[in-house]
Amino acid sequence: MFRRFATAALLSLAFVTSAAAAGKTHRIAIQVDQNDPKVMNLVLNNATNVIKYYRDKIEDVDIEIVAYGPGLNMLRADTSPQPIKERIKRLKDDAFPGHIQFSACNNTKQAMEKAEGHAITVVPEATIVPSGVVRLMELQEQGWSYIRP
């Protein structure tokens, strides 16, 4: 009798554990701190592959790409190469809506504006955050995985 109860309890626990794991949203923060289209393409490839991997497993994943320092050029409307801007738009709007966020560092933006003497616009798919480094830190404190290409 006890053996049946123990087996049933273990099976129930395994079911609850696997159900809880299936409901988990995977979260990854990716840093962009280089003004290099090759690095940005690597970041976009990684994000795409992660999303496809979890989509195939029918699991949720959220990705936040955080650009600061020279990497902000990859999210600037005037300096990001056209192929990069097109990929960002496709990822944000078409391919994976709601699962990917692009964050642009306001500290870097303000420093660039001061150095260049004019306002800077980021691509429409990006959101400005007060500090890119602080944003990455806060995401890690919330349990997000961190990747630096």
Side-chain angles (χ1 to χ4, degrees), residues 110-126:
Q110 289 178 344
M112 288 179 172
E113 288 173 339
K114 184 175 181 181
E116 296 176 27
H118 62 87
I120 290 172
T121 305
V122 297
V123 296
E125 295 79 19

Side-chain angles (χ1 to χ4, degrees), residues 18 39 47-49 55 66 84 89 119 123 133 139 142 147-148:
S18 65
V39 171
T48 300
N49 291 339
R55 180 183 284 166
V66 181
I84 298 287
K89 181 167 179 44
V123 296
V133 172
L139 291 171
Q142 295 169 21
I147 302 296
R148 180 174 186 249

Side-chain angles (χ1 to χ4, degrees), residues 31-42:
Q31 170 182 322
V32 177
D33 65 353
Q34 298 176 52
N35 182 16
D36 185 344
K38 289 180 183 176
V39 171
M40 188 62 174
N41 272 313
L42 177 62

Side-chain angles (χ1 to χ4, degrees), residues 30-99:
I30 306 175
Q31 170 182 322
V32 177
D33 65 353
Q34 298 176 52
N35 182 16
D36 185 344
K38 289 180 183 176
V39 171
M40 188 62 174
N41 272 313
L42 177 62
V43 166
L44 297 173
N45 290 343
N46 288 336
T48 300
N49 291 339
V50 167
I51 292 169
K52 286 180 180 178
Y53 175 83
Y54 285 112
R55 180 183 284 166
D56 289 347
K57 292 181 71 169
I58 311 171
E59 295 181 26
D60 288 330
V61 63
D62 291 329
I63 297 176
E64 186 161 339
I65 296 172
V66 181
Y68 65 90
L72 184 64
N73 286 294
M74 294 294 103
L75 296 182
R76 282 180 57 166
D78 62 339
T79 60
S80 182
Q82 191 60 36
I84 298 287
K85 288 193 279 192
E86 290 170 5
R87 286 194 71 192
I88 289 170
K89 181 167 179 44
R90 270 196 318 272
L91 279 171
K92 180 75 175 177
D93 296 339
D94 301 332
F96 309 112
H99 292 283

